[in-house]
Amino acid sequence: MSTPTVTRREPLAPALLTARNAVALSFALNGLVFASLVSRLPDLRERLELSNGGLGTLLLAISCGSLLALPSTGRVIERIGAGATVRAGVLADTVGLSTAAVGAVLGSVPLAALGLFVHGVGIGVWDVAMNVDAAEVERRMRRTVMPRFHAGWSAGSLSGAGLGVVVIALGTPLLAHLLLVALVVGVVAVVGTRGFLPAEPDHADEGASRGPSAWRDPRTLAIGLMVLCFAMVEGTANDWLALGLIDGYGVAHWVGVAGFATFVVAMTSGRLYGPVLLDRFGRPAVLWGSASLAAIGAVLTVQGQVLPLVALGIVLWGLGAALGFPVGMSAAADGGPRAAARVSVVSTIGYGAFLAGPPLLGHLGDRIGTLEVLLAVTALMLPASLSVLATRQPR
């Protein structure tokens, strides 16, 4: 069994309970910031007088910042700890968000791009560090909780989107909205992350931390391949599911958006209840089941033709996409030295696929159709299934 079965849950020690809550708060705040920016993208485009293509190019600054920061974050965590690294990421994230908002108000594309780049650096640093501490909390709790932390991110993003709807309806200026979010999140996150746990040193192998790079570890790369596939499954739905339903079935715009919302709800539910299955059946069995659900769901979504079958396909797709990324983070951080470096490698691979993969599918969609391109999800589940054995805990 890859994860020990816990038959009787003892009360958590106060420090561990505090750390669990601090990590959960960090995930929720990260999602809140992400959704707050997304909710104001139409205003950003209007203020800077950009086309859709111009806005897409501008948003690449976020991807560049994140992908630049992700590979080195593991070493930073090893030096100063996950909590301090999260606080540094929060600072970069919120300062970058504020700078981008000021650039939008001033109509300055270079200033907005600089702000989004710094924002992207903060996202990358913050994400790796909170996943490292989440893995440490999970290890000390001796039961699977990582997917629930990622469900917290989804809940935070839904809250940020809801807040965005309200403030836009009230006519709140973009600058006031984003500055307030940056200030509140910055203060709460800096205070809240003081409850993070320090990683326990591994005295069994003091020299291993100076060993080969995690980028040359076969197990880490296999986990990265699995996470890459599941990240593409999630990212494809984010970018193309609503458009695929609209273009492929000719449904109203709101129906396409409702389809995507159904996917998000299903994925969040899978992350909330998936840990029960992971603790009972182990990682490989549950991930094989997840890959099967995602593949079948994508086929039903594209080929279902009638609303009930399409809706069922979307639900299965969301459930199948739920656990790959968070389980990959847990597996990368499994016992042994240099957990932060391994999480950094897997995060870099996963986020690279999440950010770059779905846009590339757009070019394929131009050739075969927006709806039909969603079948790429089914193809991705084959390499994912072949690599899930790497998630077993080392002996």
Side-chain angles (χ1 to χ4, degrees), residues 6 9 14 53 92 106 117 128 155 162 178 188 208 251 283 344 372 380 383:
V6 178
R9 293 186 177 181
L106 296 178
F117 177 83
V128 174
L178 295 186
V188 174
V251 298
R283 292 171 182 164
S344 179
E372 288 74 14
L380 286 166

Side-chain angles (χ1 to χ4, degrees), residues 39-40 42-43 163-172 177:
S39 71
R40 302 309 298 240
D43 299 298
L163 176 63
V165 170
V166 172
V167 298
I168 291 171
L170 294 176
T172 305
H177 175 200

Side-chain angles (χ1 to χ4, degrees), residues 202-228:
D202 190 336
H203 298 292
D205 192 354
E206 293 288 352
S209 63
R210 297 184 296 273
S213 166
W215 283 99
R216 296 198 295 272
D217 175 40
R219 178 176 178 270
T220 300
L221 294 178
I223 295 170
L225 173 62
M226 186 273 294
V227 170
L228 179 152

